[in-house]
Every structure is written in structure tokens, then in C-alpha cells.
Amino acid sequence: MSDNEQFSRFRRKAVKVEDALESILSYIPKAKHEQLPLDQALGSTLSEDVKAPHPIPHFRRSGYDGYAVISQDLKDASKERPVYLKLVDDIPCGEVPGKKLESGQTARIMTGAMAPDESDSVIMLEATEQEERDDGTYVKFTKPIPSVKNITSIGEETSEGEVLLREGTTINPGAMAVLSSLGYVQVPVYKKPKIAVLSTGTELLEVDEPLEPGKIRNSNTYMLAGQIQANGGEPVLIGKFPDEVGPAKAKIQSLLEDPEIDVIVTTGGVSVGDYDIMTDIFLNWEGKTLFNKVQMRPGSVTTAGVFKDKLMFGLSGNPGACYVGFELFVKPAIERLSGREAGHVKKTAFLEQDYTKLNAFPRFVRGYFDEKDGQLWAHPVGLDMSSALLSMKDTNALIVIPPTKTGLKAGDQVDVIPV
Amino acid sequence: MSDNEQFSRFRRKAVKVEDALESILSYIPKAKHEQLPLDQALGSTLSEDVKAPHPIPHFRRSGYDGYAVISQDLKDASKERPVYLKLVDDIPCGEVPGKKLESGQTARIMTGAMAPDESDSVIMLEATEQEERDDGTYVKFTKPIPSVKNITSIGEETSEGEVLLREGTTINPGAMAVLSSLGYVQVPVYKKPKIAVLSTGTELLEVDEPLEPGKIRNSNTYMLAGQIQANGGEPVLIGKFPDEVGPAKAKIQSLLEDPEIDVIVTTGGVSVGDYDIMTDIFLNWEGKTLFNKVQMRPGSVTTAGVFKDKLMFGLSGNPGACYVGFELFVKPAIERLSGREAGHVKKTAFLEQDYTKLNAFPRFVRGYFDEKDGQLWAHPVGLDMSSALLSMKDTNALIVIPPTKTGLKAGDQVDVIPV
């Protein structure tokens, strides 16, 4: 029996969403690496741990604008008996102290500048006064200062060799600051996976074609392109194919063998109808079909398989079902391929209104969640008819409605999966 | 008195964060428009309302794979007395029905295909059986079906002229689906504002330079570049300038007059020290300084001004203060320039730990918030020393600590501003 004979067109065995996901993730190959210029690295994922090659700070750094002193000199200073130290140096940021500081002396120093080795503390400018005398400038101090005050010591923020950013970290602006301070002109990251997108359906028109009776414009391609980009993948738009097995199958075969393509996503043709060509292709291809039915609504006909180490997803042609199929299965695949944590990150929220639709399978309702008085509330959007194109634009989460014989009440806790 | 004489180097009047923000937003010019190809429009902001140029769907669309019927024909159908209709047509997706349907006839139809004008309902394939007879194929129906069932009528999702996406909407994958279904090959969007970034400080090294005593690498530039990109702006990296007024001032003047630049952001040099060149520039420029001190920690020296209709921000050179200054003031400016809603979107969260630091000004503590059992919890990150570069990489929000004489307790409600 070939791998795929267990799958039939009509008698499909529906697997659980969790099992479908696990099966997909188990086939994902190791991500590819590349070096990216720092200014293009935002949103990419580190492919190596980033260690501090030197302590931070790497010199004793003044935390204030003021005077570097030897604190011992000021131990008896008071308003009544101020201490005067002779001003011998002026240390701006970026320069090394020009003089060795001796007892009885002080140096003007800026925030962030390097403290003289002999000084142990910095006193803020505002707490001092300057006085001109014949033999030079003196600074008046009216109180003592503890030792090691207002100077950040070497390695106080980070010691040499410490891991500052872990492999798998998504690079945000804060991480860019860390990388630049460590001298990373090029950043080791996982390569963005390339996801081929192919739509099937004789009814599809190009976006720039005028409408015809019975035909609709190909909207899934651009929706998927957006979903892929939003999740750190690079869409490769292959276009649309009519409902004939031959041309689509030939194109898919060449994509399966193209080393530049990491994942193939198709939409349409996965149902049981006579013209559902993806169903035919998944029943007769050289790859291994993983599942062709999932216990979920919408998108129960979502199909996935693997050829060598390349995943192919057959998503529903129905826009709503296609959207949900992407979020539940293709997104985690992109995450894993990008070196990030992969899976469904669920949050708990309170349902804002009754949900009365009954179903035997879990339902992934498009909606949004927001915060009120510190609590999260989930709002279903629109009709959730799986064909309703319009509910997606207001969606920031899938609301998970478990199988229920009674429906859910407003205020019930539900899982939400942010998109 | 010139506009700027009210500002002095040392006696600065601290304005409230909200007033500073309002002042900035009042000077922001109308955003520029452009047309972007649909596949590059993700994350951009619509500059016009998008209306449906035709109803959706624009033809009567079958919701199932099955048979189109005239429901009247089946009104007496039952298991005991099935009704047989003659199969006269086969309508795949994308084609127009080939035959006029008459009473006693049915047509095979696919999900998404165009229903014959004469049919009013579709019966699912699974509920039927075919039978071959001498004069052709017949389909057996064993129950009645209501009129107008399983066919989506014209305009049921959207009527012609309905506004589907409002001006100011950020384009997400769902919006891309809507735009493509309406035929938008090019999308009218607000142009990404170009933000010039200029760092000051003699202590700054380029990212690829080896460390020297007293010097640090220029990390603010790349952090800001990341923040600008993450918020829909286009960074223009101008580089670093030593602490001398002349070269920086000349460069700034040329940027102020450059029509390609929408906003200028500088870091460093806004404090009261002798080498704080941005303080000098803001005291003596031809623009109007809006404020040079804000009631906040960190970043109280954050300065902003306007020259003609171009904003210039003088952020602190301290990485933490620079980060906060960007999020509170530059980000809303980018939002407004991009045509999006501008301001501080605050959520309420519960403080996860005591916060004991007392302050007279509101403090914007870097941290993160997450959800537990449907509630939001705020966690301060690291030391929140404004120089601590490392706390930013784990930050997803600024936690707002109001002026307090007693500190806050774990479980207290706080505002958080997501970044």
C-alpha cells in the first residue's frame, strides 16, 4: 500500500488540530542561515547566541555632569567647612583623562565620559561652585560623598562573554541597539523562508481583470502574501491555475524540486467535488500526505503533505477557511523555518457576547480582542460565514469555540489565538 | 523677544507629557499620498475610503457542492416518495449556466459556482443519489428544501457603493483580500514619512570601529532606525557628529530645507553640559522651539521644535531616555504623518511586583506585559537605569508610574503603553 492509499476522496479521517500541527512541525527541516546588514535586520531571527565580546561599560563611566573626585578628600566637607579642590582637567565625552588626579584635585567631567583612574566618585555640577584664585580655578564642595558613587564600573551592565541575545530571538529595536553597541555590522540570522503561493479555480480572474458572471477576482493570493509577509516569510506568487489537474500538477512538481522554495501553499480544490484538483494531486503524488481533514470549522478540508523535506499545504479556496488554515498550520511552519518558537500562542479572554452556534468540531471564529480595566475581552466579527471576505480586515485573533451542545454565554472564558 | 528667548539653558520649564504631545501634533502637516502596488501595500495606511464598485457577490453563488433546484419541485419529496429530477447541466466554478432550468430539471453545481437564474436553492451532494435511465441521468431527492437556501444572493455580503475600508486603515492581510477582490492593483496610501536620524557625541564610534577608552559605539542610530521602521517610517541615517556646534548645525540646516525629509531626530547634546550642542542649536535656530523639558523620567531633557512645517526632535543621548522619548513623541508624529490615529494608546494592567522608586515626575518604565487567566500583568524589566542598554530588548511596553510619595504595590493598576 502506498503512503497515500489510506486517504480517500470521500471517506476522510479528521485529525485533531493539535495532532495536525505536531505532524507538520515534525517534518520541518533546519532553517538556512545568512548574514544581514544591521539596518536590514529588524524582524529577523538570530541564528546564533550573541555574546558580549567585552564588558559593558568597558571603561569607568561618569553617570553625571559634574566633578570627578577622590571621595576621601571630601570626608569632612560641610556647609560650614567647605572643601576646595583644585580644578586640573576637563574631560568631555569620548576623550581619555589628560591628567593623573592627585589628592586635593578634581576634574570637570561630562555624563558618559571616562573617569580618571584615581577618582572614585562624581559629584553633580549643581551641588558645586567654582572659585577663581591666583593659582587657578578651585571647586567648592559642601558635603561628603560615598566612595564609588555616580560612576558605572567596568562590566557593571554586562561582563565579557555573557550571552546578551539568544539564538531564536526576533530582532527588535532594543536588540538592534545591543547589536550595534557590540559592533555587529552584519547579523547572523535565519533566512526568510520562501513560500510559493498558487491558487486554483477556473472562476478566478486576475486583480486587474473586469468582472464576468460566475467569476471572482483572485483575492486569496494577496491575502496569503500579506499573511506570509506579516509572519516573516517571503511570498513567491505563482499565480492561478484552472481546475485541470495537468498544468497545476506540472507546476507543483517543479516547485517541489526547486531548491529556492521552502514551502508550497495552494488554495482551492481540496474538497470532494469533481473539479477539486488538489484532492487528486494529493491522492496521487510522490510525496506523503499527512492529513486531508481536520477537526475544525472553517477549513476542515485543509490538507498537508511532505515531499522530501518540503511541506505542501492545500488550503481551502474559501477566503475565511483559507485564512484560518494559514494561521493554524502555515504560520507555525514559517515560525519553525525562521528559527522562532512555533505553535499556537493562546491567550485567555472573556467572551463579550453569547455564542449560540453549535458544532461538533472546534470552531475558529475570526474576531478581535481588546483590553478593558485590565481584562481581555473577545469579540467575534461579522457573520463568520467562511466565505465572508469582509470579516478578516477587522480580525486580530481567532476565537476558539470548543465543541459545544449548549453554546457559550457572554462572560465565559475562551482561548484566543492572536494573528 | 524672539520665539526662543523664553528658553534658557539652565532654567527650563518642564511641560506635561500630554501637553508636549499635543503641541507636537498640532504642527504636523498633511501627509503625502502615493499609489503602491498591492503586493507592497501591507502595513501602509489607506489615504482614501475604499468603496465597493459592485455588489459582493455580483452573481448568485452556490454555497455548496450539489444540485441547483427549483424548490417548488421538491415540496412533496420524502424517503417514501422521492422526487426525481432530470440532470440537464453541470456548472463548474467560473462558468455561466449553459441551460435554462425548467420545472422537473436540476443542474449539478459546484461550491462558488453561479446558480441558474431559475433555481432558488442548492441541495448538498451528500443528500442525493444519481440514477441512470434510458433518456438520461436523474437525481433522487428524498426531502423538500426551503426556497432561497444555500445560494448567496447578489449583494448579500456588500452592496454597491458601501465603504469597505476607511481612509486611515492600516492595510492588513484581510484588507489585502478586500482590495484584490475589488480590483485594486494599485492602492492609494499615505507615503511613509522619511525620518532623518543624526547622532551627536565625540564619544561615538561607528559600529565597525574597534573600541577605544572613553568611546562607545553609536547604538542609538540603529535603535532609532528600528523604531522608525517598526512604526511605518523610513529612516534616513545621517551619521554621527562630534560635539561641535558648527558641522551639526550646518547639516541640520540643510535637512530642514530638504523637501525629501519629513522629520529630523537627533540624539545627544540636549542636556545642560558645556558640550551639549543641541541645546545651543535649539536656543539659536530659526525654528520655533516647542519645549525643552518634559515632566517625565527618563528623558526629561527631550526637546522639540518646528521649522516651517518640519518637526525636529532632540532626544537624549542616553539609550533608555532616547528610546522612551521616541515612543512618547516621535512615534505619534510618524503615526499622524502616515495618516493613522496618533497618540498614546494606553492599556490597563496589574503591576506584577512592588515599585518602590519615588519620583516627582511620571516615570515611563521599560517592561513587558502579558496575559494570565484573562488579565493583563505588567512587569518592569531590568534596572531601568536610563543608560541600561539591555533592558530594551525585552521591552514590549512602557509602564507608566505616576508621581508617588509611597511607591506602588504589586496588584495595583497601572497604565501601559505598548511599543
Side-chain angles (χ1 to χ4, degrees):
Chain A
M1 188 172 93
S2 96
D3 273 346
N4 296 322
E5 283 177 25
Q6 56 174 306
F7 296 100
S8 101
R9 190 174 197 89
F10 295 101
R11 303 224 177 122
R12 298 184 173 187
K13 187 174 170 296
V15 299
K16 288 186 177 171
V17 169
E18 297 73 27
D19 294 340
L21 176 62
E22 195 186 318
S23 156
I24 289 163
L25 293 180
S26 72
Y27 283 99
I28 294 183
K30 220 168 165 9
K32 302 167 193 167
H33 297 202
E34 66 179 347
Q35 298 277 331
L36 271 189
L38 180 56
D39 60 355
Q40 295 167 29
L42 186 75
S44 292
T45 308
L46 279 175
S47 61
E48 296 170 16
D49 285 351
V50 167
K51 290 178 190 169
H54 51 72
I56 299 177
H58 67 283
F59 57 89
R60 295 171 66 243
R61 190 179 65 199
S62 175
Y64 284 97
D65 199 9
Y67 293 96
V69 298
I70 299 163
S71 62
Q72 182 68 12
D73 284 352
L74 305 183
K75 70 180 197 308
D76 298 325
S78 67
K79 270 195 182 155
E80 297 70 34
R81 292 168 175 267
V83 170
Y84 291 84
L85 299 178
K86 186 167 189 186
L87 184 61
V88 297
D89 201 1
D90 183 352
I91 314 166
C93 286
E95 310 221 336
V96 294
K99 294 230 173 62
K100 221 170 118 94
L101 207 66
E102 291 175 9
S103 179
Q105 296 180 341
T106 186
R108 180 89 173 84
I109 190 166
M110 302 299 138
T111 309
M114 181 174 175
D117 288 347
E118 304 75 22
S119 66
D120 59 345
S121 290
V122 166
I123 293 191
M124 290 168 72
L125 187 69
E126 296 88 317
T128 64
E129 277 173 43
Q130 281 200 12
E131 192 175 297
E132 296 303 322
R133 297 189 190 164
D134 287 351
D135 66 338
T137 305
Y138 283 75
V139 185
K140 177 183 170 186
F141 300 91
T142 57
K143 53 184 176 184
I145 187 164
S147 182
V148 194
K149 182 86 183 168
N150 299 336
I151 294 178
T152 308
S153 55
I154 292 172
E156 188 170 323
E157 290 185 17
T158 307
S159 51
E160 187 180 332
E162 196 175 325
V163 174
L164 298 184
L165 299 167
R166 295 245 165 238
E167 178 270 334
T169 299
T170 300
I171 297 170
N172 63 15
M176 286 178 78
V178 173
L179 289 163
S180 50
S181 71
L182 299 179
Y184 277 77
V185 182
Q186 297 277 323
V187 187
V189 298
Y190 289 109
K191 225 173 152 172
K192 280 190 178 187
K194 287 195 178 160
I195 319 291
V197 179
L198 185 152
S199 298
T200 73
T202 306
E203 77 277 20
L204 298 179
L205 298 167
E206 296 292 353
V207 174
D208 57 357
E209 287 184 277
L211 286 188
E212 295 174 29
K215 302 207 175 199
I216 58 172
R217 295 200 187 88
N218 177 9
S219 62
N220 284 348
T221 287
Y222 289 94
M223 180 180 75
L224 286 168
Q227 288 176 295
I228 292 165
Q229 286 176 296
N231 288 288
E234 186 181 328
V236 180
L237 304 186
I238 304 298
K240 64 186 175 63
F241 286 79
D243 293 321
E244 300 162 37
V245 170
K249 188 168 185 175
K251 186 67 199 180
I252 285 171
Q253 194 57 43
S254 82
L255 292 168
L256 287 170
E257 281 159 14
D258 183 344
E260 284 295 302
I261 298 296
D262 295 295
V263 172
I264 300 169
V265 177
T266 71
T267 75
V270 283
S271 199
V272 298
D274 297 348
Y275 299 87
D276 283 316
I277 61 166
M278 287 308 300
T279 299
D280 278 317
I281 290 173
F282 271 109
L283 288 175
N284 299 298
W285 70 325
E286 288 176 44
K288 178 182 164 66
T289 299
L290 301 174
F291 53 84
N292 67 359
K293 190 163 187 182
V294 186
Q295 295 178 13
M296 61 188 264
R297 291 272 186 273
S300 63
V301 294
T302 302
T303 301
V306 61
F307 175 79
K308 290 175 184 164
D309 59 0
K310 196 171 291 185
L311 284 171
M312 179 159 81
F313 294 91
L315 304 182
S316 169
N318 222 311
C322 178
Y323 187 89
V324 170
F326 178 93
E327 293 296 330
L328 293 183
F329 302 116
V330 186
K331 176 181 175 178
I334 294 176
E335 288 170 336
R336 175 65 58 84
L337 271 166
S338 313
R340 306 201 297 278
E341 274 193 57
H344 303 154
V345 177
K346 288 178 183 167
K347 295 180 190 291
T348 303
F350 300 94
L351 199 59
E352 176 248 1
Q353 59 187 64
D354 291 353
Y355 192 88
T356 54
K357 217 171 190 173
L358 309 185
N359 35 255
F361 283 171
R363 188 172 279 275
F364 295 84
V365 177
R366 296 181 297 284
Y368 67 95
F369 68 105
D370 56 11
E371 170 276 333
K372 199 181 155 193
D373 297 334
Q375 292 190 319
L376 290 183
W377 289 85
H379 313 257
V381 173
L383 304 170
D384 197 50
M385 289 165 57
S386 62
S387 61
L389 197 61
L390 295 173
S391 62
M392 263 110 55
K393 68 185 169 53
D394 301 318
T395 292
N396 72 8
L398 301 177
I399 304 171
V400 186
I401 306 287
T404 164
K405 288 180 183 156
T406 57
L408 295 180
K409 296 272 175 217
D412 282 355
Q413 282 200 353
V414 288
D415 284 341
V416 295
I417 301 176
V419 300
Chain B
M1 185 173 96
S2 97
D3 272 345
N4 297 321
E5 279 175 29
Q6 57 174 306
F7 296 100
S8 100
R9 189 175 200 84
F10 296 102
R11 303 223 179 124
R12 298 184 176 189
K13 184 171 172 300
V15 299
K16 287 186 180 172
V17 169
E18 296 73 28
D19 296 339
L21 177 62
E22 194 185 320
S23 156
I24 288 164
L25 292 181
S26 72
Y27 282 100
I28 294 184
K30 218 166 163 17
K32 303 168 192 164
H33 297 201
E34 67 179 344
Q35 298 276 333
L36 270 189
L38 180 57
D39 61 354
Q40 294 167 30
L42 185 75
S44 291
T45 307
L46 279 175
S47 61
E48 297 171 15
D49 286 350
V50 168
K51 289 178 193 169
H54 51 72
I56 299 178
H58 66 285
F59 57 89
R60 295 169 68 243
R61 190 178 65 198
S62 173
Y64 283 99
D65 199 8
Y67 292 95
V69 297
I70 299 164
S71 62
Q72 182 69 12
D73 285 349
L74 304 183
K75 68 178 195 314
D76 298 323
S78 68
K79 267 194 184 153
E80 296 72 32
R81 290 167 175 266
V83 170
Y84 292 84
L85 299 178
K86 187 168 187 186
L87 184 60
V88 297
D89 200 1
D90 183 352
I91 314 165
C93 286
E95 310 218 337
V96 294
K99 295 225 174 65
K100 223 171 117 98
L101 208 63
E102 293 175 7
S103 177
Q105 297 180 338
T106 185
R108 181 87 174 84
I109 190 166
M110 303 296 138
T111 309
M114 180 174 176
D117 289 346
E118 303 76 22
S119 67
D120 60 345
S121 291
V122 166
I123 294 193
M124 290 168 73
L125 186 69
E126 296 89 317
T128 63
E129 276 173 46
Q130 283 199 10
E131 193 177 293
E132 295 304 322
R133 295 187 192 166
D134 287 351
D135 66 336
T137 305
Y138 283 76
V139 184
K140 176 182 170 186
F141 298 91
T142 56
K143 52 184 178 183
I145 188 163
S147 183
V148 194
K149 182 85 184 171
N150 299 335
I151 294 178
T152 308
S153 54
I154 293 173
E156 186 170 325
E157 290 185 16
T158 306
S159 51
E160 188 180 328
E162 194 176 328
V163 174
L164 298 184
L165 299 168
R166 295 245 165 240
E167 178 271 333
T169 299
T170 300
I171 297 171
N172 62 15
M176 287 177 77
V178 174
L179 289 163
S180 50
S181 71
L182 300 179
Y184 277 78
V185 181
Q186 298 278 321
V187 187
V189 298
Y190 289 111
K191 224 173 153 175
K192 280 189 178 189
K194 287 194 177 163
I195 319 292
V197 178
L198 186 151
S199 299
T200 72
T202 306
E203 75 278 20
L204 297 180
L205 299 166
E206 296 293 352
V207 174
D208 59 356
E209 288 185 280
L211 286 187
E212 293 174 31
K215 301 207 173 195
I216 58 172
R217 295 200 186 90
N218 176 9
S219 61
N220 283 348
T221 287
Y222 289 94
M223 181 179 74
L224 286 168
Q227 289 175 294
I228 291 165
Q229 288 176 292
N231 289 289
E234 185 181 329
V236 180
L237 304 186
I238 305 297
K240 62 186 176 63
F241 285 78
D243 294 320
E244 299 161 40
V245 170
K249 188 168 187 176
K251 185 68 200 178
I252 284 169
Q253 195 56 43
S254 80
L255 291 170
L256 287 170
E257 282 158 13
D258 182 344
E260 283 295 303
I261 298 295
D262 297 294
V263 171
I264 301 169
V265 176
T266 71
T267 74
V270 282
S271 197
V272 298
D274 297 348
Y275 299 89
D276 283 314
I277 61 165
M278 286 307 302
T279 299
D280 278 316
I281 290 172
F282 271 108
L283 288 175
N284 299 299
W285 71 326
E286 287 176 47
K288 174 180 166 66
T289 300
L290 301 174
F291 54 84
N292 67 2
K293 191 165 187 178
V294 186
Q295 295 178 12
M296 62 188 263
R297 293 272 185 271
S300 63
V301 293
T302 302
T303 300
V306 62
F307 175 78
K308 291 175 185 166
D309 59 0
K310 197 170 290 186
L311 284 171
M312 178 159 80
F313 294 92
L315 303 182
S316 168
N318 223 308
C322 178
Y323 186 91
V324 170
F326 178 93
E327 294 294 330
L328 293 183
F329 302 115
V330 187
K331 177 181 173 176
I334 294 176
E335 288 170 336
R336 175 65 57 88
L337 271 166
S338 313
R340 304 200 299 275
E341 276 193 55
H344 301 153
V345 177
K346 288 178 184 169
K347 293 179 189 297
T348 305
F350 300 93
L351 199 58
E352 177 249 0
Q353 59 187 61
D354 292 352
Y355 192 89
T356 54
K357 217 170 189 173
L358 309 184
N359 35 259
F361 283 173
R363 187 171 280 275
F364 295 84
V365 178
R366 295 182 295 287
Y368 68 96
F369 69 106
D370 56 11
E371 170 277 336
K372 201 183 155 190
D373 297 334
Q375 292 190 320
L376 289 183
W377 289 85
H379 313 256
V381 172
L383 301 171
D384 197 49
M385 288 164 60
S386 62
S387 60
L389 195 60
L390 295 173
S391 62
M392 262 109 57
K393 68 185 167 58
D394 301 318
T395 293
N396 72 5
L398 301 177
I399 303 171
V400 186
I401 306 287
T404 165
K405 287 180 180 156
T406 56
L408 295 180
K409 296 274 176 215
D412 282 355
Q413 282 200 350
V414 288
D415 284 341
V416 295
I417 301 175
V419 300

